[in-house]
Amino acid sequence: MLSDATLRYGEEMATALLGVDALYQAETTESQDPMRERLVVLNMSTTHQPDCYTSYADARAQFTALQSRAATLPEADRRRYYDQVCHSTLAFIAWREGNLPFTGQIADFLHVPAAPASDAELDALRGEMRGLLTDMGYAGDLTAQAAAWEERNRVASGDVAAVLDALLDEAWDRTVQRMEIPAPKSDGMRVVTETAVPYNARCDYLQRTVHLNSDPIFTRPGLKHLAVH
């Protein structure tokens, strides 16, 4: 169970994020694409109202204070989680103010180094992959092993939607075995495949659909990862 302090903090975080989302929306009122990305993807709350910020400077002051308070939360995982939420939101604010280069967006939005992996890191990953594929019975060099694994696990483009829908059903069933989902299963997401679109996937939460680009190669393990995500 989360502490009362963390629950109260989460309530404050919700209204603060809604406030930054409202600022962002106010910048783009002339282009109201219902599928356009937002800071808050979907607000299902009937009780939380956005904090009122007159500028991004006001929002930055609020999130700087929230980040400082995150370090005092009792639960270690919540301290890290909310610190990263604040870090990313402050980076978003800097981006909207025009003060965040692309490398900074990668580092501060995603919390990963804004640089290619080193040769040593890549060699280590290749070694792990080769060991796993060899243990699974795949022969040849790593390229041949990876190609054979992909061919064995590949899902045909025309089957992607059905396979992912089945995996989403299984994910729902496994989840309700451990916790209650406050919605009927019919409210779950369903897959719509598309081609020649400039993204891998995006969600239309209001229509309960996942729009998936079926042009890339998909494997069943890859679709399983997407279903859980």
Side-chain angles (χ1 to χ4, degrees), residues 171-185 187-188:
W172 184 288
D173 293 339
R174 291 193 177 201
T175 300
V176 296
Q177 290 175 4
R178 295 182 174 273
M179 60 179 289
E180 179 183 358
I181 298 177
K185 190 175 182 179
D187 197 40

Side-chain angles (χ1 to χ4, degrees), residues 17-195:
L17 282 171
L18 288 170
V20 178
D21 180 68
L23 274 178
Y24 183 40
Q25 286 299 103
E27 291 182 317
T28 56
T29 52
E30 295 181 359
S31 57
Q32 290 300 316
D33 176 2
M35 288 284 286
R36 191 182 69 79
E37 290 78 7
R38 295 182 58 165
L39 182 63
V40 176
V41 178
L42 180 65
N43 176 19
M44 298 181 66
S45 174
T46 59
T47 57
H48 295 85
Q49 296 300 316
D51 287 345
C52 184
Y53 301 126
T54 59
S55 67
Y56 280 116
D58 290 343
R60 183 169 55 252
Q62 172 77 341
F63 274 88
T64 300
L66 284 169
Q67 187 171 39
S68 178
R69 287 175 51 205
T72 69
L73 297 175
E75 301 87 355
D77 62 330
R78 295 298 89 185
R79 290 196 296 271
R80 180 176 178 83
Y81 172 74
Y82 281 121
D83 176 75
Q84 290 187 342
V85 171
C86 291
H87 189 108
S88 294
T89 307
L90 287 167
F92 176 85
I93 290 169
W95 172 59
R96 297 312 302 162
E97 293 177 321
N99 299 321
L100 191 66
F102 183 67
T103 53
Q105 295 172 36
I106 294 173
D108 295 330
F109 289 168
L110 305 178
H111 308 283
V112 297
S118 68
D119 289 340
E121 291 172 319
L122 291 173
D123 286 341
L125 290 171
R126 292 186 189 105
E128 291 180 22
M129 290 173 62
R130 182 157 177 75
L132 290 170
L133 290 166
T134 299
D135 290 343
M136 294 167 65
Y138 292 95
D141 61 16
L142 181 57
T143 300
Q145 288 178 309
W149 178 90
E150 184 177 84
E151 183 61 30
R152 177 176 293 181
N153 290 278
R154 184 172 183 171
V155 177
S157 177
D159 297 333
V160 165
V163 171
L164 184 51
D165 275 336
L167 290 168
L168 287 168
D169 282 342
E170 182 180 351
W172 184 288
D173 293 339
R174 291 193 177 201
T175 300
V176 296
Q177 290 175 4
R178 295 182 174 273
M179 60 179 289
E180 179 183 358
I181 298 177
K185 190 175 182 179
S186 59
D187 197 40
M189 305 295 282
R190 282 293 172 263
V191 180
V192 176
T193 55
E194 301 178 337
T195 61

